[in-house]
Amino acid sequence: MMKDKKYKGIGASDGIATAKAFLLDKPIFKIDDSKISNVDQEISKVNAAIEASIKNIEHVKTIAIDKIGAEKAMVFDAHAQIANDPELKNEIISIIKDQKVNGAYAIDVVFKKTHDLFANMEDDYFKQRASDVEDVRTKILSFFLNIELPDLLAIKSEVIIVADDLTPSETALLDKKYVKGFATNIGGRTSHAAIMARTMEIPAVLGLKDITNAVDKNSMIALDGSTGDLVIEPSDLSVWNKKKEIFLKEKEELKKYINVKAKTLDGVEVDVVANIGKPEDADNLDSYGAEGIGLVRSEFLYMENSKWPTEEEQFNAYKYILEKQKNKLVIIRTLDIGGDKKLNYYQFPHEMNPFLGYRAIRFCLNNPEIFKTQIRALLRASAFGRMGIMFPMIATVDEFLKAKNIVEETKKELTKEKIAFDSKVLVGMMVEIPSSAFLTDKFAKYADFFSIGTNDLVQYTFAVDRMSENVSYLYQPNNPALLRAIKATIEGAAVHKKFVGMCGEMAGDIRSIPILLGLGGKGLDEFSMSASSILRSKKVIASLKHSECVELANKAIDCDTAEEVNNLVENFLQKKNLI
Ligand code: PEP
Ligand code: MG
């Protein structure tokens, strides 16, 4: 067997893994339209396969609930619904009756048609349903044809899963005790498999193009989830074991920063806080060293519901988060829906450029009942801790004032109704559109705080679709143009002594943190990032002098290109042994 076959993919979840491959082969069904003579018998075989699939889905669901909780296991409800769908079943039966063809053929035709119907829909939510339909097709056919599927639940030794992609239902079944890593043909840092890998803290390399063909069953694999390197049959496992040891040792060492206030060597304090999606994400933030929450993406509450969440549901969710955080500041962003974020109970109007269209605060200001329900829930929850309410996608002062006005109106209503809220609740905004970055000094008269959303600010500064792989070379957070927009925000906010944080991915990138600490002479006040990046960021901050970051930032904004800035920062970090 050839040794040391090297591959490079996208590092999607940090960590080193070495283990045997578990090839998640999609089964190949040989299906033709051969005729049958006994129609009734064929129909009862189809019924039996559907029944067995439903039972199997129910069984898998109970196991998944145990492993990942009821909410994430909901994907299996969708599967059961599809398998149970009477229309699909009737269509299969009609085909068998009318054409006298075998059941596998009829199942295949009906499910493929349904799959294509979903896959061709504009709406991302329905597009994703196509993969659920495909999962159910595979399951029913495997029962019908008596072909065993790779059984993720049967994994009882250490493996690295190698697959084309991992569907939500597959990731839900993985046992962290045995699954040491993922390697997939497709996907990137924001794909479902990547997000699951980071949540489960399993090292992952994705986007390897053809890894499923390169790997044999039982090949030994080593991968590095930060660099994206993967080796099949590594000749020297000891090198990888050493890497693993260093990674784990560093992870252990970083723990000393858990309860240490983020502070530079020359005593400048900043807040290093977490971005979260769901209330449960607030459960053990202390163990990640979080000093508060800089972004609650409240849209998760809406996206995971089957209808608009009620005031009570929202109140309970926000209160839960505030109570978990005790006296730490929790910034909750109001509904940021539209663009790539869809709801299954609301159809957004079709637009040529949804990212530039009807979304976030634009949608909320146009739907005051929906917006007000959220503001009431937020204000009521504000009585249980320290809250900042943050509006997304603000482009003009007028928009901010309209949104703030709704908060003020709602406060008056609650006072009249004698319902408690915190009168000192902060009201701030995201800076993710260049127009607001350059006018921050004006916004600062009215807003209590700012949080820079670089994920979108980069997109709108360079006119680069953040989801497009074709133009990803233009996605340049460290480009001096973006750094100048951030500097303008920091300086504008300082005019009225308002604080500025950042909750885009850039805030947790150690190749940007030193610049962000120094931009505008003052730097950011707060860095908000995914919880798993907090300790390393705290270490970097604790290893730097603020004064030298100011110097570095001044040099960076004077560079011509992002590449020049990247070289500058890398030299800076290398000299300090931080990379
Ligand atoms: C951002 O745009 O940087 C941000 C934090 O918001 P989201 O990624 O949710 O658009
Ligand atoms: Mg955004």
Side-chain angles (χ1 to χ4, degrees):
M1 201 178 298
M2 208 178 113
K3 291 270 176 192
D4 286 321
K5 281 200 316 199
K6 291 191 177 132
Y7 293 83
K8 185 94 181 169
I10 298 163
S13 175
D14 285 354
I16 310 289
T18 52
K20 285 251 157 80
F22 180 94
L23 198 51
L24 194 62
D25 264 336
K26 296 281 174 225
I28 299 167
F29 300 121
K30 289 203 179 94
I31 298 173
D32 58 34
D33 58 355
S34 53
K35 305 282 178 200
I36 41 111
S37 50
N38 191 337
V39 167
D40 289 342
Q41 190 187 332
E42 203 65 7
I43 292 174
S44 53
K45 263 178 75 188
V46 167
N47 282 332
I50 292 179
E51 280 310 306
S53 303
I54 296 169
K55 266 204 196 127
N56 177 275
I57 293 167
E58 294 296 341
H59 169 67
V60 168
K61 185 182 157 193
T62 29
I63 296 172
I65 289 176
D66 257 11
K67 283 196 178 169
I68 52 167
E71 205 177 314
K72 288 204 182 99
M74 259 160 51
V75 58
F76 296 105
D77 288 332
H79 285 197
Q81 241 175 30
I82 297 166
N84 252 319
D85 190 315
E87 270 184 41
L88 295 179
K89 189 156 120 181
N90 289 339
E91 218 182 317
I92 295 168
I93 293 174
S94 303
I95 293 179
I96 298 174
K97 278 187 181 159
D98 298 347
Q99 304 175 25
K100 309 269 181 304
V101 281
N102 68 84
Y105 178 77
I107 295 169
D108 199 45
V109 167
V110 171
F111 271 84
K112 278 199 173 137
K113 195 177 85 188
T114 314
H115 171 273
D116 293 350
L117 203 74
F118 280 115
N120 290 325
M121 285 188 184
E122 283 273 331
D123 192 298
D124 275 350
Y125 175 81
F126 289 114
K127 264 200 171 79
Q128 280 164 25
R129 298 285 70 77
S131 79
D132 293 332
V133 173
E134 173 57 18
D135 275 359
V136 177
R137 180 191 78 98
T138 311
K139 184 147 289 179
I140 297 180
L141 279 175
S142 74
F143 278 108
F144 187 88
L145 296 167
N146 233 336
I147 293 175
E148 234 177 276
L149 296 178
D151 185 2
L152 289 169
L153 291 170
I155 296 176
K156 290 286 176 262
S157 61
E158 295 194 351
V159 296
I160 289 175
I161 305 272
V162 180
D164 183 47
D165 188 15
L166 281 163
T167 63
S169 57
E170 284 161 347
T171 28
L173 298 177
L174 301 179
D175 191 335
K176 218 185 128 176
K177 193 161 135 210
Y178 301 120
V179 176
K180 296 293 150 193
F182 302 166
T184 64
N185 291 341
I186 62 174
R189 275 196 68 80
T190 56
S191 67
H192 178 83
I195 293 167
M196 278 304 276
R198 288 198 290 274
T199 311
M200 294 167 83
E201 296 188 39
I202 293 177
V205 178
L206 310 184
L208 285 152
K209 298 196 170 76
D210 201 24
I211 197 70
T212 43
N213 279 327
V215 165
D216 291 325
K217 273 199 175 101
N218 291 326
S219 300
M220 189 68 192
I221 296 186
L223 63 81
D224 182 337
S226 11
T227 60
D229 289 309
L230 180 145
V231 179
I232 303 176
E233 297 300 340
S235 52
D236 191 356
L237 263 184
S238 69
V239 176
W240 285 91
N241 288 336
K242 186 87 205 149
K243 276 189 185 204
K244 203 186 303 179
E245 219 175 90
I246 294 171
F247 176 82
L248 294 175
K249 194 164 154 239
E250 201 193 358
K251 201 168 165 189
E252 204 47 43
E253 275 170 10
L254 286 176
K255 286 192 178 151
K256 73 174 184 230
Y257 293 97
I258 290 178
N259 293 313
V260 174
K261 172 75 204 118
K263 186 160 63 170
T264 61
L265 279 174
D266 47 357
V268 174
E269 289 192 359
V270 290
D271 291 333
V272 181
V273 296
N275 290 349
I276 68 165
K278 300 178 205 150
E280 317 85 86
D281 296 343
D283 284 354
N284 49 10
L285 281 182
D286 288 351
S287 66
Y288 288 94
E291 300 174 337
I293 297 180
L295 171 66
V296 178
R297 287 184 161 99
S298 72
E299 58 271 16
F300 277 87
L301 221 81
Y302 291 73
M303 291 195 293
E304 289 181 354
N305 230 308
S306 51
K307 54 173 186 16
W308 294 105
T310 62
E311 181 183 319
E312 214 51 33
E313 274 173 75
Q314 295 194 54
F315 164 69
N316 286 326
Y318 306 143
K319 173 170 172 262
Y320 182 91
I321 301 172
L322 258 71
E323 285 181 334
K324 286 275 169 194
Q325 285 296 292
K326 301 193 181 78
N327 283 320
K328 294 177 181 168
L329 179 63
V330 175
I331 296 179
I332 305 185
R333 177 172 75 184
T334 60
L335 181 58
D336 183 13
I337 206 73
D340 57 327
K341 298 169 190 164
K342 301 279 167 57
L343 300 172
N344 58 8
Y345 47 90
Y346 177 83
Q347 187 64 47
F348 281 87
H350 178 72
E351 290 178 300
M352 293 296 280
N353 290 302
F355 275 105
L356 300 180
Y358 189 51
R359 54 175 298 201
I361 200 67
R362 305 165 184 190
F363 170 83
C364 287
L365 289 176
N366 205 36
N367 289 278
E369 339 70 62
I370 293 171
F371 192 40
K372 212 149 175 193
T373 304
Q374 179 169 41
I375 301 293
R376 268 183 76 94
L378 284 166
L379 285 172
R380 283 174 56 200
S382 71
F384 297 86
R386 283 179 61 209
M387 183 192 283
I389 297 176
M390 174 159 76
F391 306 129
M393 298 286 302
I394 295 283
T396 64
V397 170
D398 188 46
E399 270 179 337
F400 181 79
L401 291 178
K402 275 192 186 139
K404 190 174 166 179
N405 200 26
I406 294 180
V407 176
E408 293 308 322
E409 256 174 48
T410 314
K411 279 184 184 171
K412 280 189 198 136
E413 280 174 20
L414 291 175
T415 310
K416 237 191 220 162
E417 294 170 44
K418 298 200 168 43
I419 298 177
F421 65 91
D422 177 9
S423 60
K424 290 198 281 301
V425 63
L426 301 178
V427 180
M429 59 179 264
M430 300 224 17
V431 175
E432 47 188 345
I433 299 179
S435 61
S436 58
F438 295 115
L439 212 62
T440 310
D441 57 330
K442 302 296 176 194
F443 282 101
K445 286 194 264 179
Y446 316 105
D448 293 324
F449 65 89
F450 299 91
S451 184
I452 306 175
T454 48
N455 303 344
D456 279 313
L457 189 59
V458 174
Q459 156 163 278
Y460 298 126
T461 300
F462 297 95
V464 53
D465 183 340
R466 67 193 255 194
M467 311 294 276
S468 165
E469 284 171 27
N470 305 322
V471 287
S472 60
Y473 73 97
L474 280 172
Y475 202 88
Q476 302 181 351
N478 273 355
N479 185 299
L482 192 88
L483 300 180
R484 289 181 191 197
I486 298 169
K487 178 172 174 277
T489 309
I490 293 171
E491 290 171 346
V495 173
H496 293 278
K497 298 197 168 50
K498 301 294 170 65
F499 81 84
V500 182
M502 177 180 287
C503 58
E505 289 299 307
M506 186 180 185
D509 186 340
I510 62 168
R511 285 172 170 75
S512 296
I513 290 174
I515 302 175
L516 297 172
L517 277 167
L519 271 176
K522 183 174 156 287
L524 292 176
D525 301 300
E526 177 229 56
F527 294 72
S528 193
M529 58 193 72
S530 51
S532 55
S533 303
I534 290 177
L535 291 176
R536 162 149 311 139
S537 303
K538 276 181 154 182
K539 177 185 167 183
V540 169
I541 293 165
S543 316
L544 302 175
K545 273 198 200 144
H546 186 258
S547 54
E548 56 191 358
C549 293
V550 175
E551 236 175 81
L552 179 78
N554 285 338
K555 281 190 197 150
I557 52 165
D558 213 27
C559 285
D560 293 357
T561 63
E563 199 187 349
E564 247 180 78
V565 176
N566 287 337
N567 290 337
L568 195 72
V569 185
E570 283 192 8
N571 283 337
F572 178 86
L573 290 169
Q574 259 156 16
K575 278 193 200 128
K576 300 181 181 310
N577 274 332
L578 287 169
I579 49 171

